[in-house]
Amino acid sequence: MEATPLIRERERGTGRHVPIIALTAHAMKGDRERCLAAGMDDYLPKPLQPRELLEAIARLVGPGEAREAPVEPTFDREEALNRVGGDPEVLREIAELLIESLPGHLSGMRAAIARGDAPALGRAAHSLKGAVATFGARSAVDAAVRLETLAQENDLGGAEESFRALQDALTRLEAGLRAEISS
C-alpha cells in the first residue's frame, strides 16, 4: 500500500508502467477498492488460484507473455489410499459419499453467507474441510480454511470470493474423484 504510490510517482512522465497485483491473505471488505485506489492494477485474495493469477497477469501484460500454469492434481490418491488402509474400493465408496454430499455442503454455505450467519458458515466450512482433507485435496482444503477463518473473524466481506474459489476447487475435485470411481 505504501510502495505502490511511490512506484506510480516514479513512473510519471516516463511512459513506463509496472504491473502491480495485490495479493492478500486477509480479504476484508473494501480491500480491493483501497488497493486499486493506491494505484494497483488488480487484486487477488488468498487462497491464490494459479489460473486466476495467470489471467490477471495476461490482462496486464498481454496473453502472449503469460505462461500456462502446471495442472494441479485435484487430490492426492496415495494420501487418500493411506487414510483408508490402502483399499481402493473403500476409497471409491467414500468418494461417492463426498460427491453426493457436496450440493448440501455448498447450499448450506451459500445460505449462511446470504444470511450473514458467520457461525453457521464456520461450521459448514469446517465440516467440508474435514471431508475433503481425507482426499488430500489441497486447493479445496485451503479454500474451506479461508471461509472458516472469515467466519471465525466474523467478517464475511470476502466470503463471496472465497466461496467461488471453493466451488472451483470442488468442481475440479469432483471431476478427479469421478475419474477415480470409474477407473
Side-chain angles (χ1 to χ4, degrees):
M1 294 299 285
E2 295 174 19
T4 301
L6 297 173
I7 293 168
R8 296 299 179 233
E9 182 61 35
R10 285 186 181 168
E11 292 174 338
R12 201 162 300 180
T14 67
R16 292 185 344 203
H17 181 83
V18 175
I20 300 174
I21 301 171
L23 304 176
T24 179
H26 300 288
M28 303 299 197
K29 195 172 195 167
D31 279 355
R32 177 180 185 79
E33 293 75 20
R34 281 190 291 278
C35 290
L36 296 177
M40 297 179 198
D41 297 293
D42 208 340
Y43 169 92
L44 297 174
K46 291 182 182 178
L48 184 62
Q49 301 298 318
R51 175 128 350 258
E52 290 174 3
L53 178 58
L54 287 173
E55 288 169 358
I57 292 169
R59 283 191 302 272
L60 296 175
V61 300
E65 297 177 42
R67 292 210 161 78
E68 186 67 27
V71 175
E72 181 181 342
T74 59
F75 73 100
D76 185 330
R77 185 176 192 277
E78 185 176 322
E79 182 178 333
L81 274 172
N82 284 337
R83 290 178 186 246
V84 297
D87 189 333
E89 187 55 38
V90 172
L91 180 61
R92 277 189 213 98
E93 288 175 19
I94 63 170
E96 288 171 351
L97 290 172
L98 177 64
I99 290 169
E100 288 173 20
S101 72
L102 287 178
H105 281 292
L106 291 172
S107 67
M109 283 190 259
R110 190 177 298 113
I113 292 169
R115 289 189 316 268
D117 187 345
L121 176 61
R123 288 188 301 275
H126 182 79
S127 173
L128 182 61
K129 175 184 71 175
V132 297
T134 300
F135 296 93
R138 306 279 182 262
S139 293
V141 168
D142 291 346
V145 165
R146 178 76 185 123
L147 279 170
E148 185 179 22
T149 301
L150 288 172
Q152 288 169 347
E153 294 171 352
N154 200 28
D155 179 8
L156 302 186
E160 284 292 339
E161 283 184 80
S162 295
F163 182 72
R164 283 192 298 277
L166 177 62
Q167 284 179 303
D168 291 345
L170 291 175
T171 297
R172 292 188 305 274
L173 174 59
E174 183 176 351
L177 292 177
R178 287 190 185 282
E180 176 68 26
I181 291 167
S182 65
S183 67

